[in-house]
Amino acid sequence: MPNTRVIRISFCGLGTVGQGVWKHISANRSQLETRLGVRFELHRVAVRSLNRTRDVAIPAERITTDALAVATDPQADIICELMGGTELAREVTLAALRAGKIVVSANKALICDHGAEIFAAARKHGGHFFFEASVAGGIPIIKALREGLVANRFRLIYGILNGTCNYIITRMVAEGAPYAEILADAKRLGYAEADESLDVDGWDTAHKASILAYLAHGVWVKTEQMIVDGISKLTQADLRTTEQLGYRIKLLAVITRDFDLNEISVRVHPTLLPKSKVLANVNGVFNGIAVEGDVVGTTTYIGRGAGQDATASAVISDIADAITLLTTGRVVATGEASIELHERAGTTPKLAPLGHIRTRYYLRLTVQDEPGVLAQIASVMAGNRISIASVVQTAAERPDAASIILTTHESDERAMHHTLAEFAKLGCVLEAPLLLRIGDFHD
Ligand code: HSE
């Protein structure tokens, strides 16, 4: 193919994901080049340390520590921002977009924190920003929302969006293995973030939920506007009890839209899913997302949510879209216009107040094992109009204490917030209660 256009791809960051992208492009080069009608060239690479050993051999003249120079290099066609973090990554992304480049990113924290600024820069300067790899690893959920489901409005989206947490919970249930040991394996396998708190405390899921909410509803919801709980307080006893009650625990993002009130809520929390639900059976590093569209009904997406190969698959799909744009001028729907579309249609939603976020609850309380304790707890709940559905009492891990596990009928976050505040004042409640939500979704 002597006259075939050469596409120069540069990388800012060549860690697990970046190396995976180039490994798969190299392995499938002739098929990808034929299909896309171009030739690929690895143009330049910016890394933090020049001395680190990598699977991909890079000629010395192409590698540097100067990410901004790589992002703005006039000869580069596509910049893959795969460095992580939000400070330098923001600078690099904005610089590339201001230079009119196409940026491909897997950086969910960056998009959640700076998405509005990034999309505005792309629009203003004629750059483009592609981000399929930012949510749910190898599942093409961004494409599904912005293209395949464009006819729909979304009352409910819920999903397992963090592979590390799903891997940890799955192995805790299946093997009874200790949490710390499984987390170490998740790191070794390239699933976990460098800062593991992003995974286990729910923040990574929240970043991804923010991106899905933006695409579905045209509004940026910040993590501080969400309910965000992680998995680090779950015990083997919780996992066993919920199994006995007919549920599996999954860390879910839940995005709801009330079209009558024009309100949206975004929350992240360990959720008891009935075992019969498809997502209750999505295990290991796999992610799963259920999207309820008013035209199509519910569609469900399952696939590997983390790891080098799954994420590389999504990045390469964005590179392919970028090449279509470069070679045909055809702009695929990038999601950059989502806010404008909703504003123009007058459909931008407000955030739902806590009193409008309704669900059933699971509560584990460590209490003094004495007469009248259960009555005090029931009285607080009755005062907040929360109706108890079931009660189980077992021995607690500490002596002279009991563990009371309650499930409730449907209530709301405001009532539960007041209930927890009142529990904290009761002398008989010995520890902060564990609160989980029950996901009886009608999808
Ligand atoms: N740490 C993330 C996860 C990587 O476990 O899902 C993929 O975004």
Side-chain angles (χ1 to χ4, degrees):
M1 298 191 290
N3 297 321
T4 307
R5 178 165 176 185
V6 174
I7 299 292
R8 294 185 181 84
I9 304 174
S10 292
F11 287 79
C12 292
L14 199 70
T16 305
V17 177
Q19 291 179 65
V21 170
W22 199 251
K23 180 179 85 181
H24 288 290
I25 285 183
S26 305
N28 297 329
R29 180 186 278 271
S30 67
Q31 184 217 329
L32 282 168
E33 289 185 340
T34 307
R35 195 189 272 187
L36 295 165
V38 298
R39 283 197 299 121
F40 296 119
E41 184 182 290
L42 179 57
H43 184 54
R44 290 180 75 189
V45 174
V47 293
R48 212 171 335 183
S49 159
L50 293 173
N51 302 324
R52 216 173 113 189
T53 321
R54 297 183 173 84
D55 293 341
V56 181
I58 316 279
E61 69 278 10
R62 294 193 181 271
I63 194 162
T64 171
T65 54
D66 188 347
L68 278 171
V70 170
T72 52
D73 181 326
Q75 287 188 311
D77 295 301
I78 300 169
I79 311 297
C80 296
E81 183 282 293
L82 301 170
M83 57 205 303
T86 54
E87 284 179 26
L88 183 56
R90 171 178 165 270
E91 274 184 58
V92 159
T93 301
L94 291 174
L97 292 172
R98 285 182 192 128
K101 304 278 182 210
I102 301 177
V103 178
V104 170
S105 176
N107 194 333
K108 51 263 163 156
L110 175 74
I111 303 169
C112 175
D113 289 354
H114 303 292
E117 185 183 23
I118 287 169
F119 290 138
R123 273 195 306 277
K124 184 165 174 201
H125 300 281
H128 292 277
F129 186 74
F130 295 91
F131 52 104
E132 184 62 69
S134 63
V135 182
I139 302 174
I141 188 63
I142 307 282
K143 264 194 165 47
L145 282 176
R146 74 186 185 203
E147 296 175 34
L149 298 175
V150 72
N152 293 268
R153 300 192 308 164
F154 306 104
R155 187 188 68 84
L156 173 67
I157 299 173
Y158 68 94
I160 301 164
L161 301 180
N162 185 271
T164 301
C165 289
N166 208 33
Y167 176 81
I168 292 173
I169 294 172
T170 302
R171 283 192 52 198
M172 280 177 79
V173 171
E175 302 164 29
Y179 173 91
E181 183 187 311
I182 311 172
L183 177 59
D185 283 346
K187 285 188 174 176
R188 188 178 45 77
L189 292 164
Y191 301 159
E193 301 298 311
D195 171 4
E196 69 202 34
S197 155
L198 288 170
D199 294 303
V200 299
D201 294 328
W203 302 112
D204 177 77
T205 303
H207 294 147
K208 293 165 177 169
S210 170
I211 297 170
L212 294 185
Y214 164 73
L215 286 168
H217 303 294
V219 65
W220 285 111
V221 181
K222 298 286 176 198
T223 54
E224 55 271 23
Q225 297 171 308
M226 304 176 191
I227 293 163
V228 182
D229 290 341
I231 64 161
S232 58
K233 296 199 179 73
L234 294 179
T235 62
Q236 290 287 353
D238 294 313
L239 296 167
R240 271 195 310 274
T241 310
T242 50
E243 285 277 324
Q244 283 158 10
L245 290 168
Y247 296 99
R248 298 252 158 78
I249 298 183
K250 297 289 174 189
L251 182 70
L252 290 190
V254 182
I255 303 165
T256 61
R257 174 81 180 259
D258 182 322
F259 286 100
D260 296 329
L261 298 174
N262 198 22
E263 287 177 353
I264 182 180
S265 74
V266 183
R267 50 200 165 97
V268 172
H269 43 65
T271 311
L272 276 64
L273 272 181
K275 284 181 188 171
S276 57
K277 289 276 178 197
V278 173
L279 294 198
N281 298 288
V282 171
N283 292 317
V285 74
F286 280 69
N287 283 189
I289 307 158
V291 181
E292 190 193 303
D294 59 346
V295 180
V296 70
T298 298
T299 54
T300 306
Y301 309 82
I302 297 170
R304 283 194 170 72
Q308 185 181 59
D309 297 336
T311 315
S313 170
V315 171
I316 295 169
S317 87
D318 276 348
I319 291 175
D321 280 352
I323 290 171
T324 303
L325 175 60
L326 288 165
T327 55
T328 69
R330 190 171 69 83
V331 182
V332 285
T334 61
E336 287 161 14
S338 185
I339 284 185
E340 282 75 0
L341 292 178
H342 284 269
E343 274 173 359
R344 223 178 300 142
T347 52
T348 307
K350 307 179 288 295
L351 280 179
L354 289 178
H356 291 181
I357 303 177
R358 298 187 64 77
T359 185
R360 293 183 57 218
Y361 297 92
Y362 166 108
L363 262 172
R364 172 168 50 78
L365 295 143
T366 305
V367 295
Q368 285 170 344
D369 197 2
E370 286 175 4
V373 165
L374 192 54
Q376 289 182 59
I377 287 166
S379 160
V380 167
M381 294 179 74
N384 287 294
R385 305 201 55 73
I386 297 181
S387 172
I388 295 168
S390 71
V391 187
V392 180
Q393 179 170 332
T394 59
E397 278 170 16
R398 44 198 276 183
D400 301 330
S403 185
I404 295 180
I405 293 170
L406 299 158
T407 64
T408 75
H409 292 296
E410 191 173 279
S411 180
D412 65 69
E413 290 291 330
R414 187 167 173 277
M416 186 48 79
H417 183 84
H418 288 305
T419 300
L420 292 181
E422 288 179 46
F423 282 161
K425 292 187 203 140
L426 292 181
C428 62
V429 175
L430 302 174
E431 291 173 7
L434 176 79
L435 178 71
L436 307 176
R437 278 84 179 171
I438 299 178
D440 290 326
F441 302 117
H442 307 294
D443 58 323

